[in-house]
Amino acid sequence: MSATTQPMNDAPFPAARDLGADKVPWADVEWWRSGGLVPYPAAMAAMERRVAAIAEGEAREAVWLLEHPPLYTAGTSARREDLIDPDRFPVFEAGRGGQFTYHGPGQRVVYLMLDLRRRGRDVRAFVTRIENWVIAALAEFGIRGEIRPDRVGVWVPRPDKPPLADGTMREDKIAAIGIRLRRWVSFHGFAVNVDPDLGHFAGIVPCGIRGHGVTSLADLGHRVDMTTFDDALLATADVMFA
C-alpha cells in the first residue's frame, strides 16, 4: 500500500499532509504525516487542540506520523537519576505515562488521538492493540518483536550479543509506548527506532530499564526509509483499527 501524501490546506498539525482517504481504509480516522523535524512544544500544542476538539465532538480522530529533533522527554514516573546527561539535548515534561525516553531523527513517532469512549474504555486493551500493531509492522521486515509483562514497549531478543551478568539473554528495545488520556481521548502514542543515532540514548536510562539496550531496524540490518516503514504501518493497521 502506498503512503504517498497529498497536500492539504489548513493542516491541523505542523508541516503535515493528509495521507488521503484513498490510501487509508479507515475513513473515520484522519491520517497525517509531517515532513522535516517538528519541534516538541509545537507538537504538544497541536495535539492538545485536536484532543480537545475530539472530546467536544468537533473533530475526527487522528493519527499523526512525524519526527522530532533530538530531545529527551520525561513521563510522569521519570526518576531524576535516570537523566544521565541533562545538558546533551533539551528535556521536556511530557505528561504521558512512563519514564525518560529519547526522540530524534530516524525515529518514527506516531501520535494517536483516538476516542476510547467509542473504543471500549479499556486502557490495557488499547495499549495491547498498539503493541500488537508495532509487532505486526516489524514482522513486515522479518523482525520478531516481543512484549514483556514487566517491561513497557516492544523488545527484540539478541542472542547475537553477550548475555547479561546473570546469564539472561540480552534484549533490546525497538519501540517505546506512552499514552495519556483526557476525557477518554488519547494522545501521545509510540515511537519506533527506524534508523536513529543509537548513541543519543546514552544520555538517559531509557524507560528506567538498566541492563538491556536499544536497537533499530537499521541496527538489525534493515535499512529502510521512513516512507517504507510508514507503508508497513498502514499495511498492518487493521490490527489496531479493525
Side-chain angles (χ1 to χ4, degrees):
M1 180 182 296
S2 172
T4 302
T5 58
Q6 300 295 325
M8 291 287 290
N9 295 325
D10 302 320
F13 306 110
R17 293 170 180 260
D18 189 344
L19 292 186
D22 59 326
K23 307 297 189 297
V24 180
W26 303 277
D28 58 335
V29 180
E30 293 180 11
W31 289 63
W32 295 85
R33 177 165 58 196
S34 287
L37 302 177
V38 179
Y40 194 76
M44 295 303 101
M47 270 202 297
E48 291 272 359
R49 290 191 297 269
R50 188 54 175 256
V51 166
I54 293 170
E56 292 295 331
E58 298 172 352
R60 290 191 294 166
E61 298 173 299
V63 176
W64 181 19
L65 313 176
L66 68 152
E67 293 175 82
H68 286 304
L71 58 93
Y72 298 131
T73 66
T76 54
S77 301
R79 298 173 298 193
R80 191 52 51 181
E81 63 268 25
D82 289 340
L83 182 58
I84 298 169
D85 189 352
D87 299 321
R88 186 168 190 179
F89 299 125
V91 181
F92 296 94
E93 299 290 335
R96 54 156 175 79
Q99 302 187 38
F100 281 105
T101 193
Y102 165 78
H103 292 313
Q107 183 187 71
R108 175 49 86 213
V109 175
V110 181
Y111 287 139
L112 301 171
M113 288 148 277
L114 302 175
D115 190 346
L116 269 66
R117 293 171 297 187
R118 58 186 291 264
R119 295 181 181 276
R121 295 179 186 251
D122 187 332
V123 179
R124 180 61 251 178
F126 181 61
V127 172
T128 297
R129 289 176 82 94
I130 296 171
E131 292 168 339
N132 289 338
W133 184 17
V134 173
I135 290 169
L138 293 172
E140 295 285 294
F141 304 98
I143 297 171
R144 190 178 92 237
E146 300 179 355
I147 56 175
R148 295 290 178 263
D150 59 337
R151 284 185 259 130
V152 179
V154 177
W155 297 81
V156 177
R158 300 304 301 270
D160 56 314
K161 292 188 174 183
L164 302 182
D166 63 358
T168 303
M169 181 186 296
R170 163 83 173 265
E171 296 181 336
D172 288 345
K173 193 172 196 174
I174 195 168
I177 298 170
I179 294 294
R180 183 180 179 184
L181 297 180
R182 181 178 296 152
R183 296 173 61 185
W184 285 102
V185 180
S186 70
F187 53 124
H188 298 281
F190 64 92
V192 181
N193 298 329
V194 178
D195 190 12
D197 184 338
L198 295 180
H200 289 178
F201 286 87
I204 58 171
V205 177
C207 300
I209 298 170
R210 301 177 184 272
H212 297 287
V214 292
T215 190
S216 66
L217 273 76
D219 181 50
L220 295 169
H222 301 272
R223 293 197 173 274
V224 301
D225 60 34
M226 203 62 77
T227 300
T228 300
F229 184 72
D230 291 347
D231 286 344
L233 287 173
L234 283 167
T236 57
D238 59 331
V239 173
M240 182 73 194
F241 294 99

